[in-house]
Amino acid sequence: MNNYIQELLSFFYNFSDELSSNNIISKINKNQISIDYLSDNKKGDVASNFYLIIKRKIIDKNYDFISHLNEKIIKIDFIKNFELSKNGFININLSENFISRSLINIYKKNFLNDINFGNNKKINIEFVSANPTGPIHVAHLRGAIFGDVLSSLYQKTGHEVVREYYVNDAGSQITKLSNSLYKRYLEFLNKKIEILDDEYPGEYLIDIARNIYKSDKDLWLHKDKKERENYFKKFAVDHLLDKIKSDLKLINVNFDIFTRETEIENSNVIKKLFAILENKDLIYQGVLPKPKTDDLEWEPRNQLLFRSSRLIDDQDRAFKKSNGEWTYFANDAAYHFNKYQRKFDKLINIWGSDHIGYIARMKSILKAIQDKDNFFEVLTCQIVSLIQDKKKIKMSKREGKFITLTDVFNKVGKDPIRYYMISKKNETAIDFDLDEVVKKNKDNKVFYCQYAYARASSVISKAKNLKLFDEKSFDIKDFNKNLTKEELDIIKLMISYPYLIYQSSFNNEPHRLINYLELLCSSFHSVWNKGKDNESLRFIDENNINHTKYKLFWIECFRIILKDIFSIIDINTPESM
RNA sequence: GCGCCCGUAGCUCAGUGGAUAGAGCAACCGCCUUCUAAGCGGUAGGUCAAAUGUUCGAAUCAUUUCGGGCGCGCCA
């Protein structure tokens, strides 16, 4: 029973049901009931607004809320007492017995047992999916880490997660890539070349071309164009995908599966999807309206359309080009149908904010092929602006000038990247200041938190050296008499951790981890420094072994919680710094 | 023109309809004979873009306006 906050919420939900079915109150919106366990404003260990919600809805004038609540709440074993504040909050204090049991659960590392709300549901999380036309650059960084941490959170809460990357290895961009690579290859044969505006100028293609030249010499000059194009396509994509994988490995982002667009194209999945849509009268031959964009040469054309406006989208979308080829969207729709066929309970996509306009049509596809409302969810990441010398770094894809993941990694390192990218809401555009983040390692909170862990570890190792670290003495009951208020506050914060994980996962908000982590670490540093002013408040006091064992117990728990958070964010846990 | 996101301290950002709106950085003043000063304590800094509304209660919800970002094609 680690998730006591959830239990408390359920208690109030049931309470309100009981009150309304007995006609004591009129109907309320239960979603308004909340439990406050983090804010500074709360007066008890936790606080609820329950009374404020029902107060105005009370019909029975003789109803005595406090004694009724008292009668019910006394049966909850983890509650010590409660009081109704003048302004209507219910302030609740937890029983010492419960707190010490919870702490023992943390020590035994079974504190997350109760937040298994996933019940082994299969979740597919698709993220990054950057086109294999160049190295991973900074625009993909945020989605990569958001997707990775979100996946870990879902795993923590009992879901079976598949991390998936969709490889767009078909279409005209790949043809252009193939042509650009061929030109670089021609360079090795001393031919003069010119890279066109819409081709890929990046120097990374030169290295790939060199490989082809080394093994094949002038072989491809004499081959037929189609054969050569296909070979160069595959060669380029394979190499760039390897590069993407190894780049992502630098920041510990790994995938379970890479699905290629060409696989989808070559399978019959698109035909199957097409049949389903046609059967539902969602496919027709028609003409799209003129787009609202300015400066657009527009010729109306008759083509195969998907009637997405009947579902979620505001207009219909092209399924086939006028030359009869499937559109990118059609392939992508087939890919999502393919994911559906793989029997996931839920699909989550993480897209950059530049794809927001694409969400409605894809949701329309998913709605057409299945009934569940929340089966398919798209989470978007707003852009990250890189700041250097107090200025935004401008990137130009056309000139092949962009900051790659490797550039940022070499400058900053894995932990600050992962920490910073996950510390802000995904829907907020953020500035990532490369100078601030590396400046003397001081301005970055990741070091602040790792330092807290290292300090805690140094206490434990010193205690072990002094033979004061005795596990057998950790089954303690009356720790509240042996610890300071500040220490008890940290302990109460720690035992709310399971609910925090539950909330972060349920709401797709990994950044809450960071808020919690920083609060926890700041409290720890503060308590640490109390020992500087007052020797009796140090964690290890050889003159007071009794106090010491209580302190060592919660510090070990603190390390366990920190280690758990660090493992989700996937940053190092340094024993010393 | 339309859609989505955002606007909170000088800067970067938290903030679950609820109690006195917070943190870090920058500024200023203190704290190392000590389990790690990569730390701690304090001071100062706010019309939560604006207006109206809903509510017992709004930074949070609704509407409008202003400002910023990202998108809107048979591209991918």
Side-chain angles (χ1 to χ4, degrees), chain A residues 267-319:
Chain A
S267 71
N268 58 0
V269 63
I270 190 160
K271 281 180 190 149
K272 276 191 185 164
L273 171 64
F274 188 74
I276 291 173
L277 298 179
E278 206 168 33
N279 197 33
K280 295 194 172 184
D281 188 28
L282 290 170
I283 294 286
Y284 69 105
Q285 199 75 27
V287 178
L288 286 174
K290 185 177 189 299
K292 296 278 162 34
T293 334
D294 295 335
D295 309 325
L296 183 74
E297 288 174 35
W298 175 258
E299 282 177 44
R301 283 191 182 135
N302 200 23
Q303 62 196 118
L304 207 59
L305 302 176
F306 170 50
R307 210 188 293 279
S308 41
S309 62
R310 189 186 279 178
L311 298 156
I312 293 168
D313 215 344
D314 54 358
Q315 70 167 76
D316 296 341
R317 303 292 172 178
F319 226 62

Short mmCIF file of all heavy atoms in Angstrom, two decimals, chain A residues 267-319:
data_model
loop_
_atom_site.label_atom_id
_atom_site.label_comp_id
_atom_site.label_asym_id
_atom_site.label_seq_id
_atom_site.Cartn_x
_atom_site.Cartn_y
_atom_site.Cartn_z
N SER A 267 4.62 -4.52 -48.85
CA SER A 267 3.65 -5.47 -48.30
C SER A 267 2.28 -5.13 -48.89
O SER A 267 2.13 -4.19 -49.64
CB SER A 267 3.60 -5.34 -46.78
OG SER A 267 2.99 -4.13 -46.43
N ASN A 268 1.29 -5.91 -48.52
CA ASN A 268 -0.04 -5.62 -49.07
C ASN A 268 -0.89 -4.81 -48.08
O ASN A 268 -2.09 -4.68 -48.24
CB ASN A 268 -0.75 -6.91 -49.46
CG ASN A 268 -0.89 -7.84 -48.27
OD1 ASN A 268 -0.45 -7.50 -47.17
ND2 ASN A 268 -1.49 -8.99 -48.48
N VAL A 269 -0.22 -4.28 -47.04
CA VAL A 269 -0.98 -3.63 -45.97
C VAL A 269 -1.73 -2.40 -46.49
O VAL A 269 -2.86 -2.11 -46.07
CB VAL A 269 -0.07 -3.28 -44.77
CG1 VAL A 269 0.99 -2.28 -45.15
CG2 VAL A 269 -0.86 -2.77 -43.60
N ILE A 270 -1.13 -1.70 -47.43
CA ILE A 270 -1.80 -0.51 -47.93
C ILE A 270 -3.06 -0.86 -48.71
O ILE A 270 -4.07 -0.18 -48.63
CB ILE A 270 -0.82 0.36 -48.78
CG1 ILE A 270 -1.44 1.72 -49.08
CG2 ILE A 270 -0.44 -0.34 -50.07
CD1 ILE A 270 -0.44 2.77 -49.47
N LYS A 271 -3.01 -1.99 -49.41
CA LYS A 271 -4.21 -2.43 -50.15
C LYS A 271 -5.32 -2.82 -49.19
O LYS A 271 -6.49 -2.55 -49.42
CB LYS A 271 -3.86 -3.61 -51.07
CG LYS A 271 -3.18 -3.15 -52.36
CD LYS A 271 -2.85 -4.30 -53.26
CE LYS A 271 -1.96 -3.82 -54.41
NZ LYS A 271 -1.03 -4.86 -54.87
N LYS A 272 -4.91 -3.50 -48.11
CA LYS A 272 -5.91 -3.90 -47.11
C LYS A 272 -6.57 -2.68 -46.49
O LYS A 272 -7.79 -2.62 -46.33
CB LYS A 272 -5.24 -4.73 -46.00
CG LYS A 272 -5.10 -6.19 -46.35
CD LYS A 272 -4.69 -6.97 -45.10
CE LYS A 272 -4.42 -8.43 -45.47
NZ LYS A 272 -3.66 -9.12 -44.40
N LEU A 273 -5.74 -1.71 -46.14
CA LEU A 273 -6.28 -0.48 -45.55
C LEU A 273 -7.20 0.21 -46.55
O LEU A 273 -8.30 0.65 -46.20
CB LEU A 273 -5.13 0.46 -45.18
CG LEU A 273 -5.55 1.87 -44.75
CD1 LEU A 273 -6.37 1.82 -43.46
CD2 LEU A 273 -4.34 2.77 -44.54
N PHE A 274 -6.74 0.26 -47.78
CA PHE A 274 -7.52 0.89 -48.84
C PHE A 274 -8.91 0.24 -48.95
O PHE A 274 -9.92 0.93 -49.06
CB PHE A 274 -6.76 0.78 -50.16
CG PHE A 274 -7.38 1.55 -51.28
CD1 PHE A 274 -7.28 2.92 -51.31
CD2 PHE A 274 -8.08 0.90 -52.28
CE1 PHE A 274 -7.86 3.64 -52.33
CE2 PHE A 274 -8.68 1.62 -53.31
CZ PHE A 274 -8.55 2.99 -53.33
N ALA A 275 -8.92 -1.10 -48.88
CA ALA A 275 -10.19 -1.82 -49.00
C ALA A 275 -11.14 -1.45 -47.85
O ALA A 275 -12.33 -1.22 -48.05
CB ALA A 275 -9.93 -3.32 -49.00
N ILE A 276 -10.55 -1.36 -46.64
CA ILE A 276 -11.38 -1.00 -45.48
C ILE A 276 -11.98 0.39 -45.66
O ILE A 276 -13.18 0.61 -45.45
CB ILE A 276 -10.54 -1.03 -44.19
CG1 ILE A 276 -10.16 -2.48 -43.86
CG2 ILE A 276 -11.30 -0.41 -43.03
CD1 ILE A 276 -9.18 -2.60 -42.70
N LEU A 277 -11.13 1.33 -46.06
CA LEU A 277 -11.61 2.71 -46.21
C LEU A 277 -12.65 2.81 -47.32
O LEU A 277 -13.66 3.51 -47.18
CB LEU A 277 -10.42 3.63 -46.51
CG LEU A 277 -9.34 3.71 -45.44
CD1 LEU A 277 -8.22 4.65 -45.88
CD2 LEU A 277 -9.91 4.16 -44.10
N GLU A 278 -12.40 2.10 -48.40
CA GLU A 278 -13.34 2.13 -49.53
C GLU A 278 -14.68 1.56 -49.11
O GLU A 278 -15.74 2.08 -49.43
CB GLU A 278 -12.76 1.33 -50.70
CG GLU A 278 -13.27 1.79 -52.04
CD GLU A 278 -12.46 1.19 -53.18
OE1 GLU A 278 -11.98 0.04 -53.02
OE2 GLU A 278 -12.30 1.87 -54.20
N ASN A 279 -14.60 0.50 -48.36
CA ASN A 279 -15.81 -0.16 -47.85
C ASN A 279 -16.64 0.77 -46.99
O ASN A 279 -17.85 0.67 -46.93
CB ASN A 279 -15.36 -1.40 -47.06
CG ASN A 279 -16.50 -2.36 -46.85
OD1 ASN A 279 -17.37 -2.47 -47.72
ND2 ASN A 279 -16.52 -3.01 -45.72
N LYS A 280 -15.98 1.69 -46.30
CA LYS A 280 -16.69 2.64 -45.44
C LYS A 280 -16.99 3.93 -46.18
O LYS A 280 -17.32 4.93 -45.55
CB LYS A 280 -15.84 2.94 -44.20
CG LYS A 280 -15.63 1.73 -43.32
CD LYS A 280 -15.10 2.13 -41.95
CE LYS A 280 -15.08 0.93 -41.03
NZ LYS A 280 -14.67 1.24 -39.67
N ASP A 281 -16.82 3.91 -47.49
CA ASP A 281 -17.10 5.08 -48.32
C ASP A 281 -16.24 6.29 -47.90
O ASP A 281 -16.71 7.42 -47.85
CB ASP A 281 -18.60 5.44 -48.25
CG ASP A 281 -18.95 6.53 -49.25
OD1 ASP A 281 -18.26 6.61 -50.29
OD2 ASP A 281 -19.90 7.29 -48.98
N LEU A 282 -14.99 6.02 -47.56
CA LEU A 282 -14.12 7.11 -47.14
C LEU A 282 -13.09 7.45 -48.22
O LEU A 282 -12.18 8.24 -48.00
CB LEU A 282 -13.39 6.72 -45.84
CG LEU A 282 -14.29 6.65 -44.61
CD1 LEU A 282 -13.57 6.03 -43.42
CD2 LEU A 282 -14.83 8.03 -44.23
N ILE A 283 -13.23 6.82 -49.39
CA ILE A 283 -12.31 7.07 -50.48
C ILE A 283 -13.13 7.51 -51.69
O ILE A 283 -14.17 6.93 -51.99
CB ILE A 283 -11.55 5.78 -50.84
CG1 ILE A 283 -10.63 5.36 -49.70
CG2 ILE A 283 -10.77 5.95 -52.13
CD1 ILE A 283 -9.38 6.18 -49.55
N TYR A 284 -12.68 8.56 -52.34
CA TYR A 284 -13.39 8.98 -53.55
C TYR A 284 -12.45 9.73 -54.48
O TYR A 284 -11.37 10.17 -54.08
CB TYR A 284 -14.60 9.86 -53.20
CG TYR A 284 -14.23 11.23 -52.63
CD1 TYR A 284 -14.35 12.38 -53.41
CD2 TYR A 284 -13.76 11.36 -51.33
CE1 TYR A 284 -14.01 13.64 -52.90
CE2 TYR A 284 -13.43 12.61 -50.82
CZ TYR A 284 -13.56 13.74 -51.59
OH TYR A 284 -13.21 14.95 -51.09
N GLN A 285 -12.89 9.83 -55.73
CA GLN A 285 -12.12 10.58 -56.72
C GLN A 285 -12.59 12.02 -56.65
O GLN A 285 -13.79 12.28 -56.74
CB GLN A 285 -12.41 9.98 -58.11
CG GLN A 285 -11.39 10.30 -59.16
CD GLN A 285 -10.08 9.52 -59.01
OE1 GLN A 285 -10.09 8.43 -58.46
NE2 GLN A 285 -8.98 10.10 -59.46
N GLY A 286 -11.68 12.97 -56.48
CA GLY A 286 -12.14 14.35 -56.34
C GLY A 286 -11.02 15.36 -56.53
O GLY A 286 -9.91 15.02 -56.91
N VAL A 287 -11.36 16.61 -56.23
CA VAL A 287 -10.41 17.71 -56.41
C VAL A 287 -10.27 18.46 -55.09
O VAL A 287 -11.26 18.82 -54.47
CB VAL A 287 -10.89 18.68 -57.52
CG1 VAL A 287 -9.91 19.83 -57.67
CG2 VAL A 287 -11.07 17.94 -58.84
N LEU A 288 -9.05 18.68 -54.67
CA LEU A 288 -8.82 19.42 -53.42
C LEU A 288 -9.05 20.91 -53.64
O LEU A 288 -8.79 21.42 -54.73
CB LEU A 288 -7.39 19.18 -52.93
CG LEU A 288 -7.09 17.83 -52.31
CD1 LEU A 288 -5.61 17.70 -52.02
CD2 LEU A 288 -7.89 17.60 -51.04
N PRO A 289 -9.51 21.62 -52.59
CA PRO A 289 -9.65 23.07 -52.70
C PRO A 289 -8.27 23.74 -52.74
O PRO A 289 -7.29 23.15 -52.29
CB PRO A 289 -10.41 23.45 -51.44
CG PRO A 289 -10.08 22.37 -50.46
CD PRO A 289 -9.90 21.11 -51.27
N LYS A 290 -8.24 24.96 -53.24
CA LYS A 290 -6.97 25.69 -53.29
C LYS A 290 -6.52 26.01 -51.86
O LYS A 290 -7.29 26.50 -51.05
CB LYS A 290 -7.16 27.00 -54.06
CG LYS A 290 -5.87 27.78 -54.26
CD LYS A 290 -6.14 29.03 -55.09
CE LYS A 290 -4.87 29.73 -55.52
NZ LYS A 290 -4.02 30.22 -54.45
N PRO A 291 -5.26 25.71 -51.54
CA PRO A 291 -4.76 26.02 -50.19
C PRO A 291 -4.72 27.52 -49.95
O PRO A 291 -4.66 28.30 -50.89
CB PRO A 291 -3.34 25.46 -50.20
CG PRO A 291 -3.27 24.57 -51.37
CD PRO A 291 -4.25 25.06 -52.36
N LYS A 292 -4.71 27.87 -48.65
CA LYS A 292 -4.79 29.29 -48.30
C LYS A 292 -3.43 29.98 -48.35
O LYS A 292 -3.32 31.18 -48.20
CB LYS A 292 -5.38 29.44 -46.89
CG LYS A 292 -6.80 28.93 -46.78
CD LYS A 292 -7.78 29.97 -47.27
CE LYS A 292 -9.17 29.45 -47.62
NZ LYS A 292 -9.71 28.37 -46.84
N THR A 293 -2.38 29.19 -48.50
CA THR A 293 -1.04 29.78 -48.52
C THR A 293 -0.89 30.78 -49.66
O THR A 293 -1.41 30.57 -50.74
CB THR A 293 0.03 28.68 -48.71
OG1 THR A 293 -0.49 27.46 -48.22
CG2 THR A 293 1.30 29.04 -48.02
N ASP A 294 -0.19 31.85 -49.39
CA ASP A 294 0.04 32.86 -50.43
C ASP A 294 1.08 32.36 -51.42
O ASP A 294 1.75 31.35 -51.21
CB ASP A 294 0.54 34.17 -49.80
CG ASP A 294 -0.52 34.76 -48.90
OD1 ASP A 294 -1.71 34.48 -49.14
OD2 ASP A 294 -0.15 35.49 -47.96
N ASP A 295 1.24 33.09 -52.50
CA ASP A 295 2.28 32.83 -53.50
C ASP A 295 2.31 31.37 -53.92
O ASP A 295 3.34 30.71 -53.90
CB ASP A 295 3.68 33.19 -52.96
CG ASP A 295 3.70 34.59 -52.39
OD1 ASP A 295 2.99 35.44 -52.95
OD2 ASP A 295 4.37 34.81 -51.38
N LEU A 296 1.18 30.86 -54.24
CA LEU A 296 1.15 29.45 -54.60
C LEU A 296 0.57 29.28 -55.99
O LEU A 296 -0.52 29.75 -56.30
CB LEU A 296 0.30 28.69 -53.57
CG LEU A 296 0.24 27.19 -53.76
CD1 LEU A 296 1.54 26.54 -53.37
CD2 LEU A 296 -0.91 26.62 -52.96
N GLU A 297 1.36 28.63 -56.83
CA GLU A 297 0.81 28.27 -58.14
C GLU A 297 -0.04 27.02 -57.93
O GLU A 297 0.45 26.01 -57.44
CB GLU A 297 1.94 27.97 -59.12
CG GLU A 297 2.67 29.22 -59.55
CD GLU A 297 3.87 28.87 -60.41
OE1 GLU A 297 3.78 27.90 -61.18
OE2 GLU A 297 4.88 29.58 -60.28
N TRP A 298 -1.27 27.09 -58.31
CA TRP A 298 -2.18 26.00 -57.97
C TRP A 298 -3.01 25.61 -59.18
O TRP A 298 -3.67 26.43 -59.80
CB TRP A 298 -3.10 26.44 -56.83
CG TRP A 298 -4.14 25.43 -56.51
CD1 TRP A 298 -5.46 25.45 -56.87
CD2 TRP A 298 -3.96 24.22 -55.78
NE1 TRP A 298 -6.10 24.35 -56.40
CE2 TRP A 298 -5.20 23.56 -55.72
CE3 TRP A 298 -2.85 23.63 -55.15
CZ2 TRP A 298 -5.39 22.34 -55.09
CZ3 TRP A 298 -3.04 22.42 -54.52
CH2 TRP A 298 -4.29 21.79 -54.48
N GLU A 299 -2.92 24.34 -59.48
CA GLU A 299 -3.80 23.81 -60.53
C GLU A 299 -4.66 22.73 -59.93
O GLU A 299 -4.14 21.76 -59.38
CB GLU A 299 -2.98 23.19 -61.66
CG GLU A 299 -2.35 24.18 -62.60
CD GLU A 299 -1.50 23.47 -63.63
OE1 GLU A 299 -1.95 22.44 -64.16
OE2 GLU A 299 -0.38 23.94 -63.87
N PRO A 300 -5.98 22.88 -59.98
CA PRO A 300 -6.84 21.82 -59.47
C PRO A 300 -6.62 20.52 -60.25
O PRO A 300 -6.51 20.56 -61.48
CB PRO A 300 -8.25 22.36 -59.68
CG PRO A 300 -8.13 23.63 -60.39
CD PRO A 300 -6.71 23.97 -60.60
N ARG A 301 -6.53 19.41 -59.52
CA ARG A 301 -6.32 18.13 -60.19
C ARG A 301 -7.22 17.06 -59.60
O ARG A 301 -7.45 17.03 -58.40
CB ARG A 301 -4.86 17.69 -60.05
CG ARG A 301 -3.94 18.43 -60.99
CD ARG A 301 -2.58 17.82 -61.03
NE ARG A 301 -1.73 18.60 -61.91
CZ ARG A 301 -0.48 18.97 -61.62
NH1 ARG A 301 0.05 18.63 -60.48
NH2 ARG A 301 0.22 19.66 -62.47
N ASN A 302 -7.64 16.20 -60.46
CA ASN A 302 -8.51 15.12 -60.05
C ASN A 302 -7.65 13.98 -59.51
O ASN A 302 -6.73 13.53 -60.17
CB ASN A 302 -9.31 14.64 -61.27
CG ASN A 302 -10.54 13.88 -60.85
OD1 ASN A 302 -11.04 14.06 -59.73
ND2 ASN A 302 -11.02 13.04 -61.71
N GLN A 303 -7.92 13.54 -58.28
CA GLN A 303 -7.12 12.46 -57.71
C GLN A 303 -7.89 11.72 -56.64
O GLN A 303 -9.00 12.13 -56.25
CB GLN A 303 -5.81 13.02 -57.15
CG GLN A 303 -6.02 14.01 -56.04
CD GLN A 303 -4.79 14.84 -55.76
OE1 GLN A 303 -4.78 16.05 -55.89
NE2 GLN A 303 -3.75 14.15 -55.34
N LEU A 304 -7.27 10.66 -56.11
CA LEU A 304 -7.92 9.83 -55.12
C LEU A 304 -7.78 10.49 -53.74
O LEU A 304 -6.68 10.77 -53.30
CB LEU A 304 -7.26 8.45 -55.12
CG LEU A 304 -8.14 7.29 -54.66
CD1 LEU A 304 -9.37 7.16 -55.54
CD2 LEU A 304 -7.33 6.01 -54.71
N LEU A 305 -8.92 10.68 -53.08
CA LEU A 305 -8.89 11.40 -51.81
C LEU A 305 -9.44 10.57 -50.66
O LEU A 305 -10.28 9.68 -50.88
CB LEU A 305 -9.70 12.70 -51.92
CG LEU A 305 -9.28 13.69 -53.00
CD1 LEU A 305 -10.24 14.87 -53.05
CD2 LEU A 305 -7.85 14.17 -52.79
N PHE A 306 -8.98 10.89 -49.47
CA PHE A 306 -9.48 10.27 -48.23
C PHE A 306 -10.44 11.26 -47.58
O PHE A 306 -10.10 12.42 -47.36
CB PHE A 306 -8.29 9.96 -47.31
CG PHE A 306 -8.66 9.55 -45.92
CD1 PHE A 306 -9.61 8.56 -45.69
CD2 PHE A 306 -8.05 10.14 -44.82
CE1 PHE A 306 -9.95 8.17 -44.40
CE2 PHE A 306 -8.38 9.76 -43.51
CZ PHE A 306 -9.34 8.77 -43.32
N ARG A 307 -11.64 10.77 -47.27
CA ARG A 307 -12.67 11.67 -46.76
C ARG A 307 -12.46 11.92 -45.27
O ARG A 307 -13.31 11.61 -44.43
CB ARG A 307 -14.04 11.04 -47.01
CG ARG A 307 -15.17 12.03 -47.22
CD ARG A 307 -16.51 11.35 -47.27
NE ARG A 307 -16.70 10.49 -48.41
CZ ARG A 307 -17.05 10.91 -49.64
NH1 ARG A 307 -17.21 12.17 -49.87
NH2 ARG A 307 -17.21 10.05 -50.62
N SER A 308 -11.31 12.50 -44.92
CA SER A 308 -11.00 12.70 -43.49
C SER A 308 -11.89 13.77 -42.85
O SER A 308 -12.06 13.78 -41.65
CB SER A 308 -9.52 13.07 -43.33
OG SER A 308 -9.11 13.98 -44.31
N SER A 309 -12.48 14.63 -43.67
CA SER A 309 -13.34 15.68 -43.11
C SER A 309 -14.59 15.08 -42.46
O SER A 309 -15.20 15.70 -41.61
CB SER A 309 -13.74 16.68 -44.18
OG SER A 309 -14.48 16.04 -45.18
N ARG A 310 -14.93 13.87 -42.86
CA ARG A 310 -16.08 13.22 -42.23
C ARG A 310 -15.71 12.73 -40.83
O ARG A 310 -16.57 12.49 -40.00
CB ARG A 310 -16.56 12.06 -43.10
CG ARG A 310 -17.87 11.47 -42.64
CD ARG A 310 -18.23 10.25 -43.43
NE ARG A 310 -18.83 10.59 -44.73
CZ ARG A 310 -19.20 9.67 -45.62
NH1 ARG A 310 -19.00 8.38 -45.38
NH2 ARG A 310 -19.75 10.04 -46.75
N LEU A 311 -14.44 12.59 -40.57
CA LEU A 311 -13.98 12.06 -39.29
C LEU A 311 -13.49 13.20 -38.39
O LEU A 311 -14.30 13.82 -37.71
CB LEU A 311 -12.89 11.01 -39.52
CG LEU A 311 -13.42 9.81 -40.33
CD1 LEU A 311 -12.32 9.08 -41.05
CD2 LEU A 311 -14.19 8.87 -39.42
N ILE A 312 -12.22 13.51 -38.43
CA ILE A 312 -11.69 14.50 -37.49
C ILE A 312 -11.12 15.73 -38.19
O ILE A 312 -11.17 16.83 -37.68
CB ILE A 312 -10.61 13.83 -36.60
CG1 ILE A 312 -11.27 12.79 -35.69
CG2 ILE A 312 -9.90 14.88 -35.74
CD1 ILE A 312 -10.29 11.88 -35.00
N ASP A 313 -10.59 15.54 -39.38
CA ASP A 313 -9.87 16.60 -40.07
C ASP A 313 -10.83 17.69 -40.57
O ASP A 313 -12.03 17.47 -40.67
CB ASP A 313 -9.11 16.00 -41.26
CG ASP A 313 -7.79 16.71 -41.50
OD1 ASP A 313 -7.62 17.81 -40.96
OD2 ASP A 313 -6.96 16.15 -42.21
N ASP A 314 -10.27 18.86 -40.90
CA ASP A 314 -11.13 19.92 -41.42
C ASP A 314 -11.24 19.87 -42.95
O ASP A 314 -12.03 20.59 -43.54
CB ASP A 314 -10.65 21.30 -40.95
CG ASP A 314 -9.20 21.54 -41.29
OD1 ASP A 314 -8.56 20.61 -41.84
OD2 ASP A 314 -8.70 22.62 -40.99
N GLN A 315 -10.42 19.05 -43.57
CA GLN A 315 -10.60 18.86 -45.01
C GLN A 315 -10.12 17.48 -45.43
O GLN A 315 -9.47 16.78 -44.66
CB GLN A 315 -9.88 19.94 -45.80
CG GLN A 315 -8.36 19.83 -45.73
CD GLN A 315 -7.70 20.72 -46.79
OE1 GLN A 315 -7.62 21.93 -46.61
NE2 GLN A 315 -7.24 20.11 -47.87
N ASP A 316 -10.46 17.10 -46.65
CA ASP A 316 -10.05 15.79 -47.14
C ASP A 316 -8.58 15.83 -47.55
O ASP A 316 -8.02 16.90 -47.79
CB ASP A 316 -10.93 15.38 -48.32
CG ASP A 316 -12.37 15.19 -47.86
OD1 ASP A 316 -12.58 15.04 -46.64
OD2 ASP A 316 -13.27 15.23 -48.71
N ARG A 317 -7.97 14.66 -47.63
CA ARG A 317 -6.53 14.59 -47.90
C ARG A 317 -6.24 13.63 -49.05
O ARG A 317 -6.91 12.63 -49.22
CB ARG A 317 -5.78 14.11 -46.66
CG ARG A 317 -6.00 14.95 -45.42
CD ARG A 317 -5.39 16.34 -45.56
NE ARG A 317 -5.77 17.20 -44.44
CZ ARG A 317 -5.34 18.43 -44.28
NH1 ARG A 317 -4.53 18.98 -45.19
NH2 ARG A 317 -5.73 19.15 -43.26
N ALA A 318 -5.19 13.96 -49.79
CA ALA A 318 -4.83 13.16 -50.96
C ALA A 318 -4.26 11.81 -50.55
O ALA A 318 -3.42 11.72 -49.67
CB ALA A 318 -3.81 13.91 -51.79
N PHE A 319 -4.75 10.76 -51.22
CA PHE A 319 -4.27 9.41 -50.96
C PHE A 319 -3.40 8.91 -52.09
O PHE A 319 -2.52 8.09 -51.90
CB PHE A 319 -5.48 8.48 -50.75
CG PHE A 319 -5.33 7.59 -49.57
CD1 PHE A 319 -5.21 8.12 -48.29
CD2 PHE A 319 -5.31 6.21 -49.73
CE1 PHE A 319 -5.07 7.28 -47.20
CE2 PHE A 319 -5.17 5.38 -48.63
CZ PHE A 319 -5.05 5.90 -47.36
#
